[in-house]
Amino acid sequence: METLFLSAQDPQTAEKAAEILKHGGLVALPTETVYGLGANGLDGDAVLKIFEAKGRPQDNPLILHVAQPEDIREICDPIPETAWRLAERFWPGPLTMVLPCRPSVPRRTTAGLDTVAVRCPRTPITREIIRLSGVPIAAPSANRSGKPSTTTAEHVRHDMEGRIDAIVDGGPCDVGVESTIVDLTGPVARLLRPGGVTPEQLRDVVGELIVDKAVTSQIDKDAVVRAPGMKYKHYAPQGEVKIIAGPREKAAAYIRRQFQDGDAVLCFEEELPLYEGCNPTAYGKESDTATLAHGLFAALRDLDRADIRVIFARCPEGGGVAYAVQNRLRKAAGFQIVTEDQL
Ligand code: AMP
Ligand code: MG
């Protein structure tokens, strides 16, 4: 299949992309989080193509994207009052809500669950494409399954050229990590995945928030989990990722002792001088954690090479968006962490 490249600047792009989606095709779309691989979320055959193009296991459900908050009425029922309050505060934006699903949503989209994940993204061209297509758009991250998510159209081209109908180039994604996912189907709101909307911001609206254990630990591959995607290996470059925690100088001394030819270091900009000769890549500033979220996947993709054996990674501490960065890096590392007392 030949993949069409469309610029978000071109006034005809929205129409063209919507036409492809209406006819059951696949279009990669820019969002403020990462690039999504979109298809008509109400068409089971179109949705199947997403799983095939990504090589995604079919028990990993998709997020449905809507052009405006009210449109979730067509796919969710009942909708709790908390959902509207969250939508009011954070939509359009990097928040996904899991809600009870209407029977009209194909089982392929929800992987057979009776709940569905929904989000209204912020990027205007993508909202316009969804509006023109007239249906909710199922869109997981536009990467090959298991690989780091795509945050530029070039990343999408690398993973998906020849496998999908079109790529809409809207420039680099703003946030850089996938949406926050909150499950609202239980008595208490539950965080399934941290993202651009922070736990602190969520608590401000919902009060109590449980953090699901899949956020902080490795889930057994046979386990039944609330967000089935969480049990799969994620974001992983070919080399082994090891997180080295602890203070800057102590961690650097440890890494320099362990470092062998063919290894790499993924660190903060402030730390670059400590890793001369150790093949360092900085993914952002520790003093500005939004830059870490923004740069993480591009850096992991750069380091996704067969000749790199071990990637020693530095991970930010604390809450806010750093919490999402920690989660993605821990997953990339299969939760392998060398803690301060082991340095
Ligand atoms: P991706 O779009 O690739 O970032 O992955 C979507 C994430 O949303 C996966 O981790 C899914 O497990 C999660 N998800 C989608 N639908 C549901 C649902 N109904 N319940 C819980 N998690 C979901
Ligand atoms: Mg993904």
Side-chain angles (χ1 to χ4, degrees), residues 54 56 60 140-143 147 149 178 193 234-235:
K54 280 184 60 100
R56 180 175 174 110
N60 191 358
S141 50
N143 51 280
K147 289 294 165 193
S149 300
E178 306 85 343
R193 178 172 76 185
H234 253 94
Y235 319 122

Side-chain angles (χ1 to χ4, degrees), residues 9-342:
Q9 314 298 331
D10 179 342
Q12 292 180 334
T13 286
E15 274 291 353
K16 283 186 190 161
E19 274 310 303
I20 297 171
L21 291 167
K22 277 193 216 167
H23 288 92
L26 298 185
V27 181
L29 299 165
T31 83
E32 76 281 19
T33 58
V34 300
Y35 273 75
L37 181 54
N40 176 352
L42 300 184
D43 174 348
D45 293 335
V47 165
L48 179 62
K49 292 184 196 165
I50 294 181
F51 287 94
E52 288 170 350
K54 280 184 60 100
R56 180 175 174 110
Q58 288 198 30
D59 67 349
N60 191 358
L62 305 177
I63 297 172
L64 285 181
H65 294 73
V66 293
Q68 50 178 3
E70 299 74 58
D71 294 349
I72 63 171
R73 288 186 207 279
E74 288 166 44
I75 41 187
C76 306
D77 186 53
I79 301 175
E81 200 260 325
T82 327
W84 292 119
R85 278 194 285 132
L86 286 168
E88 169 87 7
R89 172 90 176 263
F90 299 113
W91 279 2
L95 177 68
T96 295
M97 300 188 234
V98 174
L99 296 169
C101 174
R102 282 189 186 271
S104 52
V105 180
R107 295 177 65 79
R108 274 208 186 111
T109 300
T110 65
L113 300 174
D114 55 6
T115 58
V116 64
V118 289
R119 175 163 101 89
C120 180
R122 190 186 292 152
T123 307
I125 177 91
T126 291
R127 278 217 312 286
E128 179 64 0
I129 293 168
I130 301 170
R131 193 184 67 75
L132 292 171
S133 73
V135 287
I137 296 298
S141 50
N143 51 280
R144 298 276 292 161
S145 195
K147 289 294 165 193
S149 300
T150 47
T151 56
T152 67
E154 176 54 29
H155 295 160
V156 182
R157 190 197 60 69
H158 178 270
D159 279 23
M160 292 295 167
E161 188 168 24
R163 301 179 153 267
I164 64 176
D165 297 286
I167 299 172
V168 176
D169 185 349
C173 299
D174 185 22
V175 179
V177 291
E178 306 85 343
S179 58
T180 303
I181 305 182
V182 63
D183 181 355
L184 298 178
T185 60
V188 178
R190 179 182 288 263
L191 180 70
L192 299 183
R193 178 172 76 185
V197 172
T198 66
E200 297 83 350
Q201 288 175 311
L202 286 176
R203 286 199 173 98
D204 218 32
V205 177
V206 302
E208 193 182 354
L209 177 75
I210 299 172
V211 175
D212 196 272
K213 66 174 190 296
V215 173
T216 48
S217 55
Q218 179 73 56
I219 298 296
D220 184 55
K221 73 177 184 352
D222 298 320
V224 178
V225 287
R226 279 172 190 267
M230 298 192 295
K231 69 188 177 193
Y232 293 108
K233 194 168 182 198
H234 253 94
Y235 319 122
Q238 293 169 64
E240 182 188 4
V241 179
K242 272 188 197 170
I243 294 175
I244 314 301
R248 183 169 291 173
E249 308 286 342
K250 219 171 152 186
Y254 175 89
I255 292 172
R256 295 192 72 93
R257 278 201 307 278
Q258 301 286 319
F259 189 90
Q260 294 180 18
D261 261 358
D263 294 345
V265 174
L266 179 64
C267 64
F268 311 128
E269 267 178 38
E270 294 94 328
E271 298 181 327
L272 279 173
L274 295 171
Y275 294 108
E276 255 171 52
C278 294
N279 190 19
T281 299
Y283 63 110
K285 291 194 179 73
E286 188 179 25
S287 56
D288 180 359
T289 45
T291 64
L292 296 172
H294 185 78
L296 177 65
F297 287 134
L300 283 174
R301 294 181 77 89
D302 272 350
L303 295 171
D304 181 17
R305 300 202 323 247
D307 58 327
I308 296 180
R309 194 189 61 109
V310 178
I311 300 163
F312 296 99
R314 295 282 291 153
C315 184
E317 304 281 329
V321 79
Y323 193 57
V325 174
Q326 277 160 34
N327 169 262
R328 304 309 190 278
L329 253 183
R330 285 180 187 178
K331 285 188 167 225
F335 291 88
Q336 272 200 89
I337 302 172
V338 176
T339 54
E340 185 180 352
D341 52 308
Q342 297 169 306

